């Protein structure tokens, strides 16, 4: 078995133990130093300081934050023992007390901002956890890619956020890291992102969503910091003559025109009337729950009932009939408009008279013009 496989197997066990709440691990009621530190009663050790002093004096002190290895366990305590033997693992009663203390929670958020600044980032929105680049991101990104022990620190930070009630801060941070990777930044962090940072998300759908986009090398969404978008139907290309699409559990092969209409209605919820406007068709009649649609090639009927054999067509005025048959249309006189002479073919008068004849439709009672040779109708399922 290769080393990468062993590494992935160990990382999987580590993050699963965290997500499952460290099964079998019990609190030590006497271990309360993390709570005392975040309430300002004791200083961190070794060579540390009180929490408020660290926020004030160490913010932006990049060299100190890089070489000092004993403060991160105090700023971001987790339920595991770290490299600092003078710190203690976080107890569940401590985490509960910190979450319920508004002043302590403000300090936790400030600790997060301190480390984001160290990594070349900033917290844009304290409610949503949105993260963006800081002004010094270029040099800080370079340091993050070279100094790999900071990747372990990020894993600890993400775990701590989940323990102290800031689980919703994780996803915006990971979105930002992925977005920067697609911009050519932080590429050396890819393995940590895949094996440690994304897996510490407690929500399975969030994990799968990000891992999917990481594998496909695509951005998660345009709105990176909002609610995770719901999956949408992928509209396939309609350039080919036939398209295979799974609709409501059934696989069908349909022609280009039909598939295009069904996909549009499925994805965009387009009504038949809106579809008519888009396709240049004309609505002829709505009667008794039946909608009839005329397109260039055929008439489609969408109805659960049987439709009559007669297809109604719009009334044709004599002037329009004349123009269609090659004559000249006479303008309507308004005041003193000049009359335009029109040459009529021999059978024009006969056709005009036939267009005005009305017949009674037995089903709807609507009078439609008589037409020789009805168009064929195809009923849509």
């Amino acid at each position: 078995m290769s080393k990468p496989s062993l590494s992935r197997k160990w990382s999987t066990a580590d993050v699963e133990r965290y997500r499952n709440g460290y099964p079998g691990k019990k609190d030590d009621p006497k271990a309360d130093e993390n709570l005392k530190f975040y309430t300002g009663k004791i200083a961190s050790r070794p060579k540390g300081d009180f929490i408020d002093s660290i926020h004030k004096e160490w913010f932006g002190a990049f060299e100190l934050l890089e070489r000092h290895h004993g403060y991160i366990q105090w700023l971001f305590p987790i339920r595991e023992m770290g490299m600092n033997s003078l710190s203690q693992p976080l107890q569940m009663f401590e985490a509960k007390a910190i979450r319920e203390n508004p002043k302590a929670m403000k300090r936790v958020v400030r600790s997060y901002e301190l480390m984001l600044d160290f990594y070349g980032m900033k917290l844009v929105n304290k409610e949503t956890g949105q993260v963006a680049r800081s002004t010094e991101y270029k040099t800080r990104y370079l340091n993050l890619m070279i100094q790999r022990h900071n990747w372990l620190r990020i894993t600890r930070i993400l775990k701590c956020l989940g323990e102290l009630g800031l689980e919703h801060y994780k996803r915006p941070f990971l979105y930002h890291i992925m977005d920067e990777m697609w911009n050519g930044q932080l590429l050396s962090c890819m393995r940590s992102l895949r094996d440690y940072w994304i897996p510490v998300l407690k929500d399975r759908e969030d994990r799968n969503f990000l891992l999917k986009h990481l594998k496909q090398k695509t951005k998660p969404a345009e709105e990176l910091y909002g609610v995770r978008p719901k999956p949408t139907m992928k509209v396939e290309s309609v350039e080919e003559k036939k398209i295979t699409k799974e609709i409501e559990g059934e696989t069908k092969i349909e022609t280009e025109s039909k598939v295009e209409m069904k996909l549009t209605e499925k994805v965009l919820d387009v009504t038949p009337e809106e579809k008519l406007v888009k396709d240049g068709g004309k609505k002829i009649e709505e009667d008794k729950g039946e909608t009839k649609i005329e397109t260039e090639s055929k008439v489609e009927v969408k109805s659960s009932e049987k439709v009559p054999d007669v297809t109604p067509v719009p009334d044709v005025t004599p002037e329009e009939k004349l123009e269609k048959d090659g004559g000249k249309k006479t303008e309507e006189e308004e005041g003193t408009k000049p009359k335009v002479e029109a040459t009529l073919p021999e059978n024009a008068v006969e056709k005009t008279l036939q267009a005005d004849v009305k017949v009674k439709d037995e089903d709807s009672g609507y009078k439609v013009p008589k037409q020789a040779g009805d168009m064929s109708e195809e009923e849509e399922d």
Side-chain angles (χ1 to χ4, degrees):
M1 186 177 291
S2 62
K3 290 183 178 180
S5 298
L6 285 172
S7 175
R8 282 195 294 273
K9 185 177 180 179
W10 184 90
S11 66
T12 301
D14 175 68
V15 296
E16 283 182 355
R17 188 164 175 258
Y18 161 76
R19 293 198 306 261
N20 294 332
Y22 299 93
K25 191 174 182 64
K26 296 181 179 181
D27 272 5
D28 181 356
K30 297 181 179 179
D32 60 354
E33 291 189 345
N34 293 302
L35 178 59
K36 289 180 178 178
F37 174 71
Y38 261 103
T39 52
K41 296 179 180 179
I42 63 173
S44 62
R45 302 187 303 273
K47 298 180 181 180
D49 208 336
F50 289 89
I51 182 67
D52 292 334
S53 297
I54 292 176
H55 290 162
K56 182 178 179 179
E57 304 296 335
W58 294 28
F59 202 101
F62 300 146
E63 184 63 28
L64 174 61
L65 294 172
E66 179 61 46
R67 60 181 172 81
H68 197 300
H69 298 283
Y71 69 91
I72 196 72
Q73 296 85 1
W74 290 91
L75 290 183
F76 300 98
I78 58 176
R79 300 185 66 194
E80 307 168 25
M81 191 64 195
M83 300 298 294
N84 184 358
S85 60
L86 298 180
S87 65
Q88 68 158 62
L90 178 68
Q91 308 299 309
M92 291 301 294
F93 76 89
E94 289 184 301
K96 183 175 182 294
I98 292 174
R99 291 195 300 267
E100 295 174 352
N101 188 322
K103 192 172 182 178
M105 285 304 298
K106 287 183 180 180
R107 286 169 171 158
V108 173
V109 173
R110 189 58 177 167
S111 296
Y112 183 53
E113 289 180 302
L114 182 145
M115 294 308 296
L116 286 178
D117 181 68
F118 176 61
Y119 295 138
M121 309 170 200
K122 61 182 178 181
L123 186 62
V124 177
N125 190 316
K126 292 183 180 181
E127 295 296 326
T128 64
Q130 180 179 352
V131 175
R133 291 176 175 178
S134 68
T135 55
E136 301 184 50
Y137 79 93
K138 290 184 178 180
T139 57
R140 302 319 307 158
Y141 280 9
L142 181 60
N143 182 79
L144 178 58
M145 289 189 291
I146 296 175
Q147 302 293 342
R148 299 186 177 186
H149 67 96
N150 285 295
W151 305 348
L152 300 175
R153 289 177 172 180
I154 290 177
T155 303
R156 169 180 281 272
I157 291 170
L158 294 173
K159 288 181 177 180
C160 179
L161 292 176
E163 300 287 8
L164 299 183
L166 295 173
E167 176 72 21
H168 64 286
Y169 271 23
K170 295 180 183 179
R171 193 170 65 236
F173 174 82
L174 298 174
Y175 282 172
H176 178 73
I177 295 294
M178 290 180 66
D179 193 42
E180 292 292 48
M181 285 183 176
W182 308 148
N183 291 326
Q185 306 286 340
L186 304 176
L187 294 177
S188 62
C189 301
M190 179 72 74
R191 183 176 176 183
S192 291
L193 177 67
R194 180 198 66 192
D195 294 345
Y196 292 94
W197 301 346
I198 293 178
V200 299
L201 287 168
K202 293 183 178 181
D203 187 276
R204 178 181 296 179
E205 291 185 6
D206 284 346
R207 295 196 304 271
N208 293 339
F209 178 73
L210 289 181
L211 288 171
K212 172 186 174 182
H213 285 280
L214 184 66
K215 183 177 180 180
Q216 295 177 349
K217 296 183 179 180
T218 56
K219 292 185 179 182
E222 292 297 327
E223 295 293 336
L224 297 178
Y225 306 105
V227 179
R228 183 179 68 253
K230 296 180 181 179
T232 57
M233 179 181 290
K234 182 179 180 182
V235 181
E236 298 178 358
S237 173
V238 293
E239 294 179 358
E240 299 179 358
K241 292 296 180 181
K242 292 186 178 180
I243 302 175
T244 302
K245 191 69 186 178
E246 185 173 355
I247 301 176
E248 298 179 355
E250 298 181 2
T251 303
K252 299 181 180 179
I253 300 178
E254 305 186 56
T255 60
E256 177 182 337
S257 60
K258 288 186 179 180
V259 172
E260 184 177 7
M261 177 176 289
K262 286 195 174 182
L263 290 179
T264 304
E265 293 177 358
K266 187 74 175 176
V267 179
L268 303 179
D269 295 328
V270 177
T271 63
E273 290 75 15
E274 292 172 341
K275 183 65 181 174
L276 283 176
V277 175
K278 182 177 180 181
D279 292 343
K282 297 180 180 179
K283 182 177 179 182
I284 299 176
E285 176 187 1
E286 283 187 15
D287 189 30
K288 293 184 179 180
E290 298 178 359
T291 302
K292 299 182 181 181
I293 302 171
E294 182 181 6
T295 61
E296 294 180 2
S297 59
K298 64 179 181 180
V299 174
E300 297 180 2
V301 178
K302 293 191 175 180
S303 173
S304 59
E305 301 179 0
K306 221 171 184 183
V307 297
D309 295 331
V310 178
T311 303
V313 297
D315 293 338
V316 180
T317 64
E319 288 79 6
E320 292 174 341
K321 188 67 177 176
L322 288 174
E323 185 175 2
K324 181 177 179 181
D325 292 339
K328 297 182 180 179
K329 184 177 179 180
T330 304
E331 297 180 355
E332 295 180 5
E333 296 186 4
E334 294 181 3
T336 58
K337 280 191 176 179
K339 296 183 179 180
V340 180
E341 295 183 357
T343 58
L344 299 177
E346 294 180 359
N347 59 348
V349 177
E350 183 181 354
K351 290 186 178 180
T352 303
L353 293 175
Q354 289 178 359
D356 291 333
V357 177
K358 304 287 184 173
V359 294
K360 178 80 171 182
D361 183 81
E362 296 179 358
D363 294 333
S364 64
Y366 178 73
K367 292 183 178 181
V368 296
K370 187 175 181 180
Q371 178 182 349
D374 293 329
M375 297 176 66
S376 61
E377 296 180 342
E378 180 176 333
E379 189 171 356
E380 192 80 10
D381 292 334

